[in-house]
């Protein structure tokens, strides 16, 4: 079994490398996707494992680019950001699985082997599947609200009326089954639909 992993968390990558040393034929690690194209041109792995957040790089975007060049490559996301929106995006892109980093080594190998045999691994909970998807505009509105903008500011930024913004918020609350914008923002973050950048 030949695996390539791209993950900017060096300690995690090293730990996994040590753990897999006796269990796989070849395990290669990159801390940035910048050298990935060259590595793939030399020899294709059985599975490429990608993190979601890798510094300035987005694993979902990296996967999309790689699959355009190598459509038969099996890609699995290995991430601590185990969110429904990421699962859905990964499926759309053509990835074969999404595995939480909290998994044991034994289970990780078992899951990867399933992918190699042609399987797909995407965890889904009953509560997640009941959420009605937001439209692109609703996602935009929710993201801007999460960034602290007021309804009028959102309206100005999106060139729509404040009434339209309010209608979008009401629809978001209805889809998420919540009764406040704050609750909708929290739900959106939990599902991976929106992100909040914490500045240090």
């Amino acid at each position: 079994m030949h695996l390539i992993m791209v993950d900017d968390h060096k300690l995690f990558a090293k730990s996994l490398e040590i753990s897999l040393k006796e269990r796989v034929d070849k395990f290669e690690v990159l801390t940035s996707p910048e050298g990935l194209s060259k590595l793939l041109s030399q020899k294709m792995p059985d599975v490429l494992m990608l993190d979601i957040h890798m510094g300035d790089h987005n694993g979902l975007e990296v996967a999309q680019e790689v699959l355009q060049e190598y459509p038969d490559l099996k890609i699995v996301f290995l991430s601590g950001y185990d969110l429904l929106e990421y699962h859905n995006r990964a499926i759309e892109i053509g990835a074969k699985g999404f595995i939480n980093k909290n998994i044991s080594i034994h289970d990780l190998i078992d899951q990867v082997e399933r992918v190699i045999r042609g399987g797909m691994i995407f965890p889904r909970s009953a509560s997640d599947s009941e959420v009605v998807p937001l439209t692109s505009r609703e996602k935009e509105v929710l993201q801007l609200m999460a960034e602290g903008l007021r309804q009028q500011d959102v309206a100005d930024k999106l060139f729509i009326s404040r009434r339209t913004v309010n209608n979008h918020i009401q629809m978001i609350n209805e889809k998420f089954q919540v009764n406040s914008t704050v609750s909708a923002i929290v739900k959106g973050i939990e599902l991976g639909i929106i992100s909040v950048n914490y500045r240090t």
Side-chain angles (χ1 to χ4, degrees):
M1 187 192 303
H2 176 200
L3 306 177
I4 294 177
M5 184 176 77
V6 186
D7 194 310
D8 64 336
H9 294 92
K10 295 180 182 179
L11 184 60
F12 172 78
K14 190 63 180 177
S15 300
L16 194 56
E17 185 178 8
I18 293 169
S19 300
L20 291 174
K21 191 174 181 181
E22 305 297 326
R23 300 169 186 255
V24 300
D25 300 317
K26 191 173 185 181
F27 183 68
E28 299 176 88
V29 175
L30 293 175
T31 54
S32 165
E34 289 169 4
L36 181 59
S37 183
K38 182 180 178 181
L39 192 58
L40 291 175
S41 68
Q42 296 168 353
K43 183 170 173 56
M44 295 295 290
D46 293 307
V47 173
L48 170 63
M49 297 190 294
L50 296 173
D51 194 2
I52 293 290
H53 299 291
M54 300 180 287
D56 295 331
H57 300 280
N58 181 312
L60 292 162
E61 293 174 0
V62 172
Q64 190 167 20
E65 291 174 10
V66 168
L67 286 171
Q68 285 175 354
E69 190 170 358
Y70 304 104
D72 295 328
L73 178 60
K74 292 179 170 66
I75 293 180
V76 170
F77 288 98
L78 183 61
S79 177
Y81 295 90
D82 191 5
L83 304 169
L84 178 65
E85 185 77 1
Y86 294 159
H87 298 171
N88 291 342
R89 185 72 187 115
I91 292 170
E92 288 173 11
I93 290 168
K96 301 301 181 185
F98 201 109
I99 301 172
N100 193 298
K101 279 186 173 179
N102 292 329
I103 196 170
S104 69
I105 290 296
H106 175 78
D107 288 340
L108 174 62
I109 292 174
D110 182 58
Q111 300 275 50
V112 169
E113 285 178 341
R114 281 177 58 191
V115 168
I116 291 173
R117 292 194 301 268
M120 291 182 70
I121 302 156
F122 286 97
R124 288 180 177 275
S125 71
S127 59
D128 285 344
S129 63
E130 292 169 5
V131 175
V132 180
L134 301 188
T135 65
S136 296
R137 178 62 90 187
E138 287 166 354
K139 290 178 184 178
E140 282 183 301
V141 170
L142 188 59
Q143 178 64 55
L144 292 173
M145 295 297 290
E147 292 171 8
L149 274 67
R150 296 172 301 171
Q151 286 192 26
Q152 188 59 56
D153 297 329
V154 174
D156 294 342
K157 194 173 183 70
L158 298 178
F159 303 104
I160 57 179
S161 69
R162 181 171 178 174
R163 179 187 290 274
T164 301
V165 172
N166 188 54
N167 288 342
H168 282 312
I169 292 171
Q170 289 181 356
M171 184 58 68
I172 292 166
N173 289 350
E174 189 175 312
K175 287 181 176 181
F176 282 176
Q177 299 178 8
V178 297
N179 54 19
S180 74
T181 302
V182 172
S183 297
I185 290 170
V186 170
K187 185 75 172 179
I189 293 171
E190 287 176 350
L191 295 175
I193 292 171
I194 59 171
S195 60
V196 177
N197 296 319
Y198 295 96
R199 302 187 183 278
T200 54

